[in-house]
Amino acid sequence: MQHVPERSARFRKRLINPRNHSNEVGEIHMLATAGRRAFLILSLVLALTVTAGAQLTTGGLGPVIRTPTLPVIAQISPSANFTAIASALGAAVIDNIPGTNIYLLNIPVVPFLTAPVLQTLGVPGIDWVEWNIGVTLPSFAVNGIVAVPPTTAADWYKNQPAWRRIEAQEAQMYSRGSGIVIADINSWVDPNHPAIRRHLSSGYDFVTNRPTGSAALNQSEAGFLDQSEAGFLDQSEAGFLDQSEAGFLDSTGLLKNPAYSHGTLCAGVLAAIAPDSWIMPLRAFDDRGRSDLFTIAKAIWYAVQNGAQVINMSFGVRSPSNSLRSAIQYAQQNNVLLAASAGNDNTSAPQYPAAYRGVMGTAATDLLDTKAAFSNYGSYIFVDAPGVNIISAYPGGLYGIVSGTSFSAPAVSGTAALVESVRPSGVSDSIAAGALNIDTRNPGYSNQLGYGRIDVLRSVHPN
């Protein structure tokens, strides 16, 4: 497990203040309290609606009532009789995370659903249980789509102002990430895009291979930032595009559903920062940006079991989850580095998995090292990285200009790969030590932006 370095005395004092230290002890309490409250409310509602919600069908022997079901994730104790537990619950087993006792179940609607209650009913052996909640990709802005002449190098965007700001190209004189596998849990990646096709290793499509019966609760559509929130191109960015002979395209029709481009865009960032690393594309989000807790947890376990040394997670949820927590802990126990986006709601409320201990939660900055207007912040932030008007690969051989913490996180993941390639221990220490404190540029967010904005060169090759 990578050690996260000690922060300043002021920072440590704030972290241990009982009013602020909520990421661990408070997080456990939140899980328990929120879970009990949610189950109690749901129990009251479901108890009143179970009969009305049942579907009446007719068969040869008379009417048959189909009881509605709910998707839950449960971890079963190793010594427990799983068949007996499933039978007692009347549950249909939908899926399992290989190598674990974590299952996705569809159970009939019942007015009590917590492990202690199930145990008092004579169903011991359930460690924890939670709803399989829907997760959507975070909002992000697509400020433009550009095309370049066929003779232009596919990685032309590696010299953009954002990467010059963090000295990414200078760092590649000392490391290019050779031998490191970065798993990216995301939406579909265009395997034929010239900027990333030579960087992709084998991955897995959890969407296409989702078992029949999989379902999630409370799925919602992802929103998208508009350009006014993300910021307009400044002179250096516009000049870079002019020098590259990149031409803006009419985006009509291309932006009807931007979510599907998210995976390709993040992979493009990884390829630019760590060009000799392999990217393991793990498709957990569909083309509308939808996934669920079980699928994401399964993807994290898969990444670790299949040799990833770094995992990029450009997504998040607002509440702690047993499924995510167990997957994150498994990755850390296997010395896998984890980076996650902080979120784009301009709030200090924690987002998970970025707020889990040991995860490099990443906020977004602009070219002036100012916190992006949309970026989240707070005590759980580890570092910051450029996330405004980032140029990266876009499906169809095109390039997008995008904004969001989704594109800051892979810059940190790529940096982790560069450091890991030359110095396998103390990677997070090196990233923290190389970061530049930007509190003076962000007086309203003092001690809310972690160690500061990353400097890839300083992390890879300290002076």
Side-chain angles (χ1 to χ4, degrees), residues 1 87 94 117 119 138 234 251 277 333 349 360 367 374 388 441:
M1 174 177 175
S87 177
I94 303 303
V117 170
Q119 289 166 356
D234 69 12
S251 61
S277 293
Q333 290 163 4
M360 293 181 285
L367 292 180
F374 54 79
V388 177
R441 293 182 177 271

Side-chain angles (χ1 to χ4, degrees), residues 186-243:
N186 222 308
S187 59
W188 173 79
V189 172
D190 181 356
N192 298 313
H193 196 291
I196 58 179
R197 63 189 175 201
R198 294 182 178 86
H199 302 271
L200 299 177
S201 70
S202 59
Y204 191 79
D205 190 333
F206 293 92
V207 175
T208 300
N209 295 294
R210 183 172 290 157
T212 302
S214 295
L217 298 176
N218 300 331
Q219 292 203 33
S220 60
E221 298 300 322
F224 293 89
L225 302 174
D226 63 25
Q227 192 175 30
S228 63
E229 296 173 89
F232 292 93
L233 296 179
D234 69 12
Q235 188 173 7
S236 63
E237 293 165 325
F240 173 71
L241 289 172
D242 288 340
Q243 293 172 7

